[in-house]
Amino acid sequence: MVKSEYSPGLISLIPMFYVGWSDSVLSPSEMKFIHQKISALTFLSESDKSQLIAWTNPLNPPDDQIFKSWVNLIKRHASSLPESAKQSMVSLGIEMAKTLHPEDGQIWEADSTVQALTDIEDALGIKNKESYNLILHKIRAGYSFSNEEKKTVSKEIQVLLDGTLLDERNKVKALLQDPAFKLQHFETKEQHREKCLEWLKLLAEQGYGSLGFPKEYGGQDNLVKYGAVFEVMAQHDVSLLIKFGVQFGLFGSSIHLLGTEKHHKKYIEALSKAELLGCFAMTETGHGSNVRGIETTASFDKNTHEIIIHTPNHQAGKEYIGNALDSTMSVVFAQLIVDGENHGVHAIVVPLRDANHELLQGITVKDNGYKMGLNGVDNGRIWFDQVRVPSENLLDKYGAIDAEGNYQSSIANPSKRFFTILAALVGGRIFVGVAGNSISKKALSIAIKYALKRRQFNNAPDQEETLLLDYPSHQARLMPLLAKSYAIHFGLAYLRDQFVTEAMDRRKVETLAAGMKAYSTWHCTHTVQECREACGGKGYLAENQFAYLKADSDIFTTFEGDNTVLMQLVAKGLLSEFRQEFHDEGYRAVIRILAEKISGSLTEINPAFTRKTDASHLLDSDFQYQSFKYRERKMLVSVGERMQRLLKRRVNAYDAF
């Protein structure tokens, strides 16, 4: 008999580990229990135990070479084993160990051995006969579990919606169903915050904190996957979602996108593992959405090469800062002043607390207290009193201070530099829009499933009562919202792809992100309310989750910019493009617009064009697309003309807008 590279103890567990990793998920509860059981197995050496525990690490799962060795080992022995070994992964593993190492046979006969292995099998959620058949057929066929095969057992609509990220989304769903992530009601904000912090660290242990960062700093360089994870998490506890977004999205991304190599090397790996907790201090009490007008100063001291962070008055305090109480560090946005000259808003890394989590000198943090929702997020207010940090803490991708103490920037225009800094963080708006639509999906799923079970009223005493969803009025409440959620889903997927691949002009991405975020989150607020009402009194019970969905998602219309302000940004972007069109083409643009107006007038009075109402015409996607383009163009021309009339009457541009 050819000896194996593995010890008998390892061999006994390989079939279970192979099946356990087949879905690429080992949850925190599973790992904790398995580690306890492995540590107690007397037939394992210390090196065996270390190896098995290493094989359960979600940040470094067994690679293809290890899987291949497992496949070869099982393939060599599984088919020749007695029928009694083909009932479970435990019996298969034991028989393999006995066959390869017959000198240890009595160990495998002991009831304690069988029971210990059975406990691990149960922890991995392995179904005995089903798993054996699965592993036997797979290995005889000579291949492992493929993504394509998993897709064939999924509903077509899920494949359509999730696309290439189907498996990744399913992994996150499986993880969030683990007992460690069980949804619960919290009596106090402190209990909720403690649990959210615990969950955040568990997600970091699973590698989800590193998704959006470069590989050279321990990341996975996969923003698309980050978006998929973020979307699925929105259907769990939304406080966890926001804390996750603050830590890895706002705090992490600002260091990644606004900083340079020295910052990346120093901070990214630690923050992606949640070993370094941080916050994103931009908004101030007195200025809200007016980032350009923030009052916090970052004054450069040429003598010490330090930057002095200071809050000049109470209203200039940083407001509503997520992760403020748990953080040891913050990215602070402030007016950078060098040699008495204000160079505009820049971002600086500022430590908040020491190793004992005590606030550093000059820093004041106060809890925002209870909120309408999201009480698992530790929002706070922060003030700085002449706090000094090294000049290297300036995130200097777009503006730096050289060794001689002079300010430098590759973008000479201060206004353009400001908008470039903000544009680097546009991903936050995209992902908030994605999360808002994900919450809409959850609300609709609850309401529609309820409407397919709940019966009410009938037409005759001898008839069964009618399902809620069979009433046209109920369909009219929910189906348009469902259709709109689908549309928003694909719109956001398109926007995400344009953002990640940088295929679209950045200014257009910013405009589209602002519009989609506002549209998606307004839709979310309306959808959750309508779904709650559609469930009647049942929707009012906390156990059915609408209470949390309403309270936690309401702020989405304000997150990453007030929706009304964002829609004004969209209008400004469209009008700027419209104006540029005239600037580039001159009289040709005027002639074309006039031609469009004349053509439009003829179309509007011609029944052959306007009154074609057969189904094939109205459902034709090209007709629908052209209709939207026509409507957009007509509205844009109209508003442009109205603004022009006001400007000719010498109304100032601000009032005209």
Side-chain angles (χ1 to χ4, degrees):
M1 176 62 67
V2 178
K3 293 288 184 181
S4 168
E5 62 182 294
Y6 297 113
S7 70
L10 292 179
I11 290 170
S12 70
L13 284 153
I14 281 174
M16 281 189 280
F17 270 64
Y18 180 76
V19 176
W21 270 114
S22 66
D23 64 357
S24 302
V25 175
L26 278 179
S27 70
S29 296
E30 290 171 343
M31 285 192 293
K32 183 178 179 181
F33 183 82
I34 291 167
H35 289 177
Q36 291 173 347
K37 285 294 178 181
I38 287 172
S39 299
L41 291 176
T42 57
F43 57 82
L44 294 178
S45 67
E46 289 304 315
S47 62
D48 284 345
K49 293 176 182 179
S50 297
Q51 181 63 77
L52 289 167
I53 288 173
W55 283 344
T56 65
N57 183 0
L59 293 177
N60 188 28
D63 59 26
D64 290 341
Q65 187 174 354
I66 292 174
F67 269 108
K68 187 175 180 180
S69 72
W70 292 355
V71 169
N72 290 336
L73 182 66
I74 299 169
K75 187 176 181 180
R76 255 197 332 264
H77 299 283
S79 59
S80 62
L81 292 174
E83 199 63 35
S84 61
K86 300 180 181 181
Q87 303 306 310
S88 71
M89 293 296 99
V90 170
S91 55
L92 176 59
I94 287 176
E95 289 298 330
M96 286 172 56
K98 285 166 64 177
T99 301
L100 290 167
H101 297 271
E103 69 276 9
D104 298 320
Q106 62 182 10
I107 294 174
W108 310 112
E109 301 295 337
D111 291 341
S112 58
T113 300
V114 176
Q115 185 58 54
L117 293 174
T118 301
D119 289 343
I120 295 176
E121 183 182 50
D122 291 341
L124 287 168
I126 296 172
K127 306 291 186 184
N128 291 343
K129 188 174 181 181
E130 175 187 333
S131 294
Y132 180 79
N133 289 335
L134 184 64
I135 199 171
L136 185 64
H137 289 303
K138 291 290 180 189
I139 290 175
R140 280 180 178 168
Y143 61 90
S144 185
F145 301 88
S146 71
N147 287 336
E148 285 303 315
E149 185 169 73
K150 290 178 183 177
K151 289 178 183 178
T152 61
V153 299
S154 301
K155 294 180 180 178
E156 288 186 13
I157 193 66
Q158 187 183 1
V159 175
L160 178 65
L161 291 170
D162 294 346
T164 58
L165 296 167
L166 173 66
D167 291 337
E168 191 59 45
R169 293 175 197 266
N170 286 339
K171 278 176 58 179
V172 183
K173 290 174 186 176
L175 178 66
L176 294 177
Q177 289 172 19
D178 184 77
F181 287 93
K182 183 179 179 181
L183 288 170
Q184 53 197 281
H185 173 73
F186 299 96
E187 294 296 332
T188 66
K189 66 180 188 298
E190 287 76 21
Q191 292 172 343
H192 198 175
R193 291 173 178 179
E194 183 180 353
K195 180 58 69 174
C196 281
L197 180 58
E198 177 188 325
W199 284 337
L200 180 78
K201 291 180 177 179
L202 289 176
L203 290 169
E205 287 177 10
Q206 294 282 330
Y208 290 118
S210 64
L211 287 172
F213 301 119
K215 291 180 179 179
E216 56 265 38
Y217 307 112
Q220 301 178 47
D221 203 15
N222 197 327
L223 264 179
V224 174
K225 189 181 286 188
Y226 174 88
V229 171
F230 199 75
E231 180 178 2
V232 174
M233 284 177 56
Q235 298 180 13
H236 189 258
D237 187 306
V238 185
S239 285
L240 170 62
L241 173 81
I242 300 306
K243 195 169 183 70
F244 182 92
V246 169
Q247 172 68 20
F248 307 119
L250 294 177
F251 174 62
S253 291
S254 58
I255 290 177
H256 173 209
L257 298 173
L258 300 179
T260 48
E261 186 179 10
K262 60 179 178 288
H263 305 110
H264 300 162
K265 286 181 176 179
K266 190 172 183 179
Y267 302 118
I268 284 182
E269 186 170 0
L271 74 86
S272 67
K273 293 180 179 178
E275 294 169 356
L276 169 64
L277 296 177
C279 59
F280 179 89
M282 177 184 278
T283 304
E284 294 180 1
T285 305
H287 287 83
S289 298
N290 182 17
V291 177
R292 202 169 192 171
I294 60 176
E295 296 180 83
T296 300
T297 56
S299 304
F300 177 65
D301 185 338
K302 216 164 192 175
N303 296 320
T304 63
H305 259 262
E306 292 176 311
I307 295 174
I308 305 168
I309 311 298
H310 185 62
T311 308
N313 57 69
H314 187 76
Q315 289 296 99
K318 298 298 180 181
E319 175 75 83
Y320 221 90
I321 307 304
N323 224 14
L325 280 74
D326 286 332
S327 294
T328 56
M329 188 169 286
S330 178
V331 170
V332 178
F333 287 78
Q335 305 286 351
L336 181 64
I337 300 170
V338 180
D339 285 334
E341 183 179 353
N342 188 342
H343 294 281
V345 175
H346 288 65
I348 305 96
V349 176
V350 181
L352 299 179
R353 293 177 172 87
D354 61 20
N356 297 317
H357 208 66
E358 297 293 331
L359 287 171
L360 297 173
Q361 185 176 355
I363 293 171
T364 301
V365 178
K366 290 187 178 180
D367 192 340
N368 272 127
Y370 282 96
K371 307 179 289 289
M372 181 188 291
L374 296 179
N375 284 302
V377 183
D378 50 324
N379 292 102
R381 301 176 70 186
I382 308 175
W383 294 267
F384 304 92
D385 184 8
Q386 306 293 339
V387 176
R388 290 176 173 265
V389 299
S391 60
E392 66 184 27
N393 284 26
L394 173 67
L395 297 178
D396 54 2
K397 183 175 182 178
Y398 299 110
I401 299 172
D402 64 21
E404 286 71 43
N406 301 308
Y407 179 79
Q408 297 179 334
S409 176
S410 58
I411 306 173
N413 186 301
S415 182
K416 185 177 180 181
R417 184 166 60 241
F418 170 74
F419 285 111
T420 301
I421 290 172
L422 289 192
L425 305 172
V426 73
R429 283 180 182 160
I430 297 172
F431 293 127
V432 166
V434 167
N437 199 44
S438 189
I439 291 170
S440 297
K441 294 176 187 177
K442 180 172 181 176
L444 284 161
S445 296
I446 296 169
I448 292 171
K449 286 178 180 179
Y450 179 71
L452 287 167
K453 293 180 179 180
R454 178 78 161 88
R455 293 180 178 274
Q456 191 164 281
F457 305 119
N458 54 21
N459 295 323
D462 58 340
Q463 289 183 347
E464 187 176 28
E465 289 190 290
T466 304
L467 282 171
L468 287 183
L469 203 56
D470 284 340
Y471 287 103
S473 59
H474 212 75
Q475 295 170 11
R477 298 180 80 170
L478 299 179
M479 294 302 105
L481 298 177
L482 179 64
K484 189 174 289 187
S485 294
Y486 275 109
I488 293 171
H489 171 94
F490 291 113
L492 286 166
Y494 169 78
L495 172 59
R496 178 204 62 208
D497 291 344
Q498 297 301 310
F499 169 69
V500 171
T501 61
E502 299 185 353
M504 182 188 286
D505 178 77
R506 298 301 287 183
R507 291 301 292 267
K508 289 185 178 179
V509 169
E510 292 166 38
T511 300
L512 194 53
M516 286 298 294
K517 181 268 176 182
Y519 191 79
S520 174
T521 54
W522 267 329
H523 169 68
C524 174
T525 300
H526 172 58
T527 299
V528 172
Q529 177 62 27
E530 193 67 46
C531 289
R532 204 292 300 158
E533 292 180 22
C535 291
K538 285 290 186 182
Y540 203 64
L541 293 173
E543 66 182 20
N544 291 320
Q545 300 189 45
F546 286 113
Y548 304 113
L549 292 179
K550 277 176 61 68
D552 291 343
S553 67
D554 194 76
I555 190 65
F556 279 33
T557 58
T558 307
F559 268 161
E560 294 290 335
D562 176 270
N563 280 357
T564 299
V565 176
L566 291 183
M567 281 303 194
Q568 291 173 339
L569 187 153
V570 173
K572 183 178 180 181
L574 290 172
L575 287 168
S576 295
E577 287 183 19
F578 193 55
R579 182 178 62 184
Q580 189 64 41
E581 187 179 329
F582 279 88
H583 181 270
D584 293 342
E585 298 186 44
Y587 284 111
R588 283 182 299 174
V590 176
I591 293 169
R592 191 179 65 255
I593 295 297
L594 288 172
E596 287 175 359
K597 291 184 70 175
I598 293 169
S599 174
S601 299
L602 290 172
T603 300
E604 288 167 5
I605 63 173
N606 190 336
F609 288 91
T610 60
R611 297 180 185 177
K612 189 176 179 182
T613 59
D614 59 276
S616 62
H617 175 66
L618 295 178
L619 295 176
D620 181 74
S621 60
D622 185 60
F623 163 72
Q624 293 169 354
Y625 176 64
Q626 294 301 330
S627 297
F628 278 117
K629 285 187 68 175
Y630 172 76
R631 180 173 183 269
E632 177 193 27
R633 186 68 172 179
K634 183 176 180 180
M635 293 176 71
L636 193 56
V637 170
S638 173
V639 74
E641 289 177 336
R642 281 181 282 155
M643 284 196 67
Q644 188 65 28
R645 285 196 296 270
L646 289 170
L647 293 173
K648 284 183 177 179
R649 287 161 44 192
R650 298 190 178 181
V651 175
N652 70 63
Y654 177 85
D655 288 339
F657 184 74

